[in-house]
């Protein structure tokens, strides 16, 4: 066995596990350690194995804790695990768990809690949209279990003893440790789930192992959290009362921020330049690993016949003027996008995509040409419907795209709905074109590219390509997967199952006395336990 200890883990060590929440030299803690922040949508689920959205994941990272966490720049630091060993053939991970980790009811957190949670994620009976994630981790028998071909007890995980968790994977996966920070593989308390069933995530029932406990959850209104006295590092938890408010109207949320009711809010589209001039210490724009797209429904039974034609899909993508969207509508430092993977992803090499180098006039002319070849024009206009979830920015972009597509002879009907309805429709292929965004689960290109495999749980547009699947499967065992990722991106550009639009920046107003928000982490994964307020 080769003993591998992460550099960052060794350098920070068990003795200083929460250094990010420790005020830096010269800083004085504020008397007020309350924090109120903004959510765009209701949190659909507090269950780590069921949650699928970014806002929900932020709350999961406070109520639960996985094997590892991320620090302020995205490096791994200990969570429940303090170290791991990797076998010589790089297919068996042995994680050593701290002996002082506890659930919020005082029970010890053990390796069996991880075994239970990971099997629960894979179990078809759980019906988790993220079951595919444990398959992507290449855990032994995950694919067969998810397909219902083997019992869940054959998943390649076991508890050697209370503090030793063993995971067997089918092939070396260098970024496997990074994947353990994702909420879907956080432990859950079997006893509590069996006692309360579907109601186990309600306040008063929910037992977590994170730095905070759930005090209140009013769906679509607010989530309230307070420190968990049983958390192993509670002595370093500084924020004392945290409230997340759901406000669907971003402009209204900004007004409440300026009135002092919120400490952090997304800046509405187009307002960053003004706010940066007026509030230079509060308006921020930093890279974020997310891609904004329009997804085409290629399901042969439920999708529109026109979208089966790659010429139509390319025409729709070419006709979108991304420069107008990022420079005139968003104005927050976002980058126009012509591919799927975020350009700043670690180790990712951007392929040469032809239409990215064309002028918009050239793209629009080509779009008209392709639509004509496909049989669409004034005598046979193409009619499509776009679904998008409630957001003023999504609405502005949708209206702009409606005009871009009108310019090439496509009539687009806009169909707005709430987030839950929107995602439910996408999962059931009940859409034609849908606004979508994907934020990386970990900092490696496969977190984007695996989504368009045939075995992905999020391939809602039902794009299937044997060549694409083959490349992504080969990438799992390749010494250098980067060239395979480039080829996969080229297939997406050739087949165009999506129209890339822009790559994110985190554009926010945040009170200048807040620290530890992880703004230098490309993934923008923040942990409440690392945050605190300083005296002005």
């Amino acid at each position: 066995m080769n003993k591998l200890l992460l550099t960052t883990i060794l350098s920070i060590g068990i003795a200083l596990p929460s250094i990010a929440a420790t005020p830096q030299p010269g800083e004085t803690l504020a008397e007020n350690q309350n924090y109120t922040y903004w959510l765009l949508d209701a949190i659909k689920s507090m269950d780590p194995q069921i949650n699928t959205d970014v806002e929900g994941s932020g709350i999961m990272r406070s109520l639960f804790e996985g094997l590892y966490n991320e620090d302020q720049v995205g490096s791994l630091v200990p969570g429940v695990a303090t170290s791991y060993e990797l076998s010589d053939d790089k297919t068996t991970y042995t994680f050593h768990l701290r002996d002082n980790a506890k659930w919020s009811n005082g029970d010890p957190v053990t390796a069996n809690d991880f075994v239970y949670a990971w099997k629960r994620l894979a179990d078809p009976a759980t019906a988790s949209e993220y079951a595919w994630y444990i398959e992507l981790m290449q855990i032994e028998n995950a694919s067969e279990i998810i397909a219902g071909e083997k019992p869940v007890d054959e998943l390649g995980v076991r508890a050697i003893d209370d503090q030793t968790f063993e995971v067997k994977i089918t092939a070396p996966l260098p970024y496997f440790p990074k994947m353990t920070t994702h909420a879907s593989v956080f432990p859950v308390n079997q006893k509590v789930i069996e006692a309360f069933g579907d109601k186990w995530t309600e306040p008063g029932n929910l037992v977590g192992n994170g730095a905070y406990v759930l005090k209140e959850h009013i769906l679509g209104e607010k989530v309230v959290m307070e420190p968990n006295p049983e958390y192993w590092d509670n002595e370093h938890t500084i924020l004392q009362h945290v409230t997340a408010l759901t406000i669907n109207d971003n402009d209204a949320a900004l007004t409440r921020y300026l009135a002092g009711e919120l400490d952090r809010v997304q800046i509405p589209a187009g307002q960053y330049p003004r706010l940066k001039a007026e509030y230079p210490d509060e308006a921020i724009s930093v890279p974020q690993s997310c891609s904004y797209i329009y997804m085409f429904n290629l399901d042969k039974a439920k999708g529109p016949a026109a979208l089966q034609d790659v010429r139509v899909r390319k025409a729709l993508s070419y006709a979108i003027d991304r420069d107008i969207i990022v420079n005139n509508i968003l104005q927050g430092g976002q980058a126009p996008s012509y591919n799927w993977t975020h350009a700043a992803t670690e180790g990712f090499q951007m392929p040469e995509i032809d239409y990215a180098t064309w002028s918009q006039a050239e793209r629009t002319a080509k779009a008209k040409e392709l639509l004509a070849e496909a049989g669409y024009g004034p005598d046979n206009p193409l009619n499509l419907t776009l679904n998008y979830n409630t957001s003023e920015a999504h609405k502005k972009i949708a209206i702009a795209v409606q005009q871009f597509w009108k310019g090439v002879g496509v009539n687009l009907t806009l169909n707005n709905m709430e987030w839950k309805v929107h995602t439910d429709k996408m999962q059931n292929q009940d859409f034609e074109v849908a606004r979508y965004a994907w934020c990386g689960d970990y900092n490696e290109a496969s977190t984007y590219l695996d989504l368009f495999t045939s075995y992905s749980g999020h391939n809602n547009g039902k794009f299937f390509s044997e060549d694409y699947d083959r490349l992504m499967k080969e990438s799992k065992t390749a010494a250098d997967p980067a060239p395979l990722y480039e080829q996969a991106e080229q297939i997406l550009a050739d087949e165009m199952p999506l129209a890339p639009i822009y790559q994110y920046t985190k554009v926010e107003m945040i009170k200048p006395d807040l620290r530890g928000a992880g703004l230098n982490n490309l993934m923008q994964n923040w942990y409440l336990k690392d945050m605190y307020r300083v005296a002005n």
Side-chain angles (χ1 to χ4, degrees):
M1 303 283 277
N2 292 326
K3 188 164 188 175
L4 294 183
L5 295 176
L6 300 172
T7 303
T8 47
I9 295 171
L10 279 175
S11 63
I12 292 174
I14 301 173
L16 295 170
S18 295
I19 191 168
T22 303
Q24 300 301 298
E27 290 182 339
T28 302
L29 287 178
E31 183 175 343
N32 170 28
Q33 292 298 337
N34 297 334
Y35 172 53
T36 303
Y37 71 99
W38 169 80
L39 298 172
L40 174 63
D41 296 299
I43 302 300
K44 291 174 64 176
S45 176
M46 295 285 181
D47 186 328
Q49 277 83 58
I50 299 299
N51 170 70
T52 60
D53 58 70
V54 172
E55 290 184 327
S57 294
I59 290 174
M60 298 302 121
R61 287 192 294 273
S62 299
L63 300 178
F64 300 88
E65 184 170 67
L67 294 171
Y68 287 99
N69 300 321
E70 294 178 6
D71 68 7
Q72 295 294 296
V73 296
S75 299
L76 292 185
V77 292
V80 176
T82 57
S83 66
Y84 68 81
E85 296 165 355
L86 180 59
S87 62
D88 290 340
D89 65 0
K90 296 182 173 50
T91 60
T92 301
Y93 283 84
T94 304
F95 293 96
H96 299 285
L97 311 187
R98 62 181 72 254
D99 60 9
N100 59 342
K102 292 183 179 179
W103 293 100
S104 54
N105 64 358
D107 290 347
V109 177
T110 69
N112 274 310
D113 294 320
F114 284 90
V115 171
Y116 172 70
W118 290 30
K119 287 183 176 178
R120 182 172 179 260
L121 179 62
D123 191 344
T126 306
S128 172
E129 291 177 43
Y130 255 95
W132 75 305
Y133 190 78
I134 210 145
E135 189 175 9
L136 296 178
M137 295 174 87
Q138 301 200 86
I139 298 176
E140 277 189 356
N141 298 324
S143 299
E144 293 83 356
I145 292 167
I146 291 168
E149 297 168 355
K150 284 189 175 181
V152 71
D153 283 343
E154 293 191 20
L155 188 68
V157 295
R158 69 175 179 131
I160 294 177
D161 56 41
D162 281 353
Q163 268 76 56
T164 311
F165 176 50
E166 182 185 86
V167 182
K168 289 185 176 296
I169 60 177
T170 57
L173 196 61
Y175 51 87
F176 181 85
K178 291 183 181 180
M179 300 183 78
T180 66
T181 65
H182 192 262
S184 65
V185 289
F186 287 175
V188 289
N189 189 303
Q190 181 176 1
K191 182 172 64 177
V192 172
I193 291 175
E194 291 177 349
F196 295 105
D198 291 342
K199 297 185 183 299
W200 82 271
T201 57
E202 294 183 359
N205 297 344
L206 193 151
V207 169
N209 70 322
Y212 287 78
V213 293
L214 181 66
K215 302 299 290 186
E216 188 176 7
H217 181 202
I218 302 175
L219 187 66
E221 185 177 328
K222 66 179 177 180
V223 177
V224 179
M225 295 171 281
E226 292 183 354
N228 171 13
E230 299 290 346
Y231 182 59
W232 63 270
D233 196 29
N234 185 50
E235 64 178 307
H236 290 102
T237 301
I238 297 176
L239 292 178
Q240 294 300 302
H241 187 85
V242 178
T243 305
L245 296 179
T246 298
I247 305 170
N248 292 142
D249 186 331
N250 199 175
D251 288 301
L254 176 63
T255 299
R256 294 179 68 171
Y257 173 90
L258 295 174
E261 297 177 30
L262 290 168
D263 298 309
R264 187 175 187 178
V265 67
Q266 176 180 282
I267 292 177
Q271 299 195 44
Y272 175 72
R274 174 182 67 81
L275 290 167
K276 186 63 178 175
E278 295 179 10
Y279 305 94
D281 296 333
E282 300 178 48
I284 60 107
S285 173
V286 294
Q288 181 179 19
S289 179
C290 304
S291 284
Y292 190 106
I293 66 168
Y294 279 177
M295 183 177 283
F296 300 132
N297 186 355
L298 307 187
D299 187 283
K300 291 183 178 177
K302 297 181 178 179
L307 293 180
Q308 295 295 320
D309 190 328
V310 67
R311 294 171 298 184
V312 172
R313 302 196 297 270
K314 283 188 171 182
L316 294 172
S317 180
Y318 293 169
I320 297 172
D321 191 331
R322 289 134 173 107
D323 289 328
I324 287 180
I325 290 173
V326 300
N327 295 330
N328 297 7
I329 296 175
L330 298 174
Q331 300 184 56
Q334 297 85 354
S337 180
Y338 303 91
N339 76 300
W340 173 226
T341 305
H342 194 285
T345 302
E346 187 173 311
F348 177 64
Q349 299 170 13
M350 185 68 72
E352 294 183 7
I353 295 174
D354 54 5
Y355 78 105
T357 63
W358 303 349
S359 69
Q360 187 55 45
E362 291 171 323
R363 285 191 282 268
T364 300
K366 188 65 176 179
K368 291 178 179 177
E369 178 186 323
L370 289 170
L371 285 170
E373 288 178 7
Y376 296 100
D379 296 332
N380 183 31
L382 175 59
N383 299 306
L384 291 170
T385 297
L386 168 70
N387 288 2
Y388 69 97
N389 57 300
T390 302
S391 157
E392 194 61 26
H394 301 334
K395 181 180 178 180
K396 289 179 179 178
I397 293 171
I399 291 172
V401 172
Q402 186 181 47
Q403 294 303 307
F404 299 148
W405 287 1
K406 184 178 180 180
V408 296
V410 176
N411 299 318
L412 182 65
T413 300
L414 305 185
N415 192 17
N416 168 230
M417 59 199 72
E418 298 305 309
W419 173 245
K420 183 179 186 309
V421 176
H422 179 60
T423 53
D424 286 349
K425 281 182 173 292
M426 288 193 71
Q427 288 151 16
N428 290 300
Q429 289 70 56
D430 184 12
F431 70 99
E432 295 184 348
V433 182
R435 172 266 160 192
Y436 194 62
W438 182 257
C439 295
D441 291 326
Y442 49 93
N443 193 0
E444 211 271 349
S446 61
T447 190
Y448 285 92
L449 295 167
D450 278 324
L451 186 141
F452 282 100
T453 59
S454 63
Y455 43 88
S456 161
H458 293 273
N459 186 358
N460 294 320
K462 298 302 177 187
F463 166 71
F464 297 133
S465 164
E466 291 182 0
D467 288 341
Y468 190 89
D469 283 357
R470 175 182 54 76
L471 288 169
M472 292 312 299
K473 286 179 179 176
E474 288 178 6
S475 73
K476 305 304 179 190
T477 55
D480 178 12
L484 299 171
Y485 294 158
E486 281 189 71
Q487 294 177 51
E489 280 280 4
Q490 192 59 60
I491 288 177
L492 294 181
D494 292 341
E495 296 295 326
M496 208 70 80
L498 71 153
I501 296 181
Y502 72 88
Q503 298 190 346
Y504 276 49
T505 52
K506 191 89 172 171
V507 190
E508 292 187 321
M509 296 291 284
I510 183 167
K511 294 299 184 186
D513 64 332
L514 276 167
R515 298 289 186 273
L519 298 177
N520 293 321
N521 180 352
L522 175 67
M523 313 311 291
Q524 294 299 323
N525 289 337
W526 48 265
Y527 297 78
L528 284 177
K529 69 181 184 62
D530 295 338
M531 297 176 65
Y532 57 94
R533 311 190 79 129
V534 297
N536 290 324

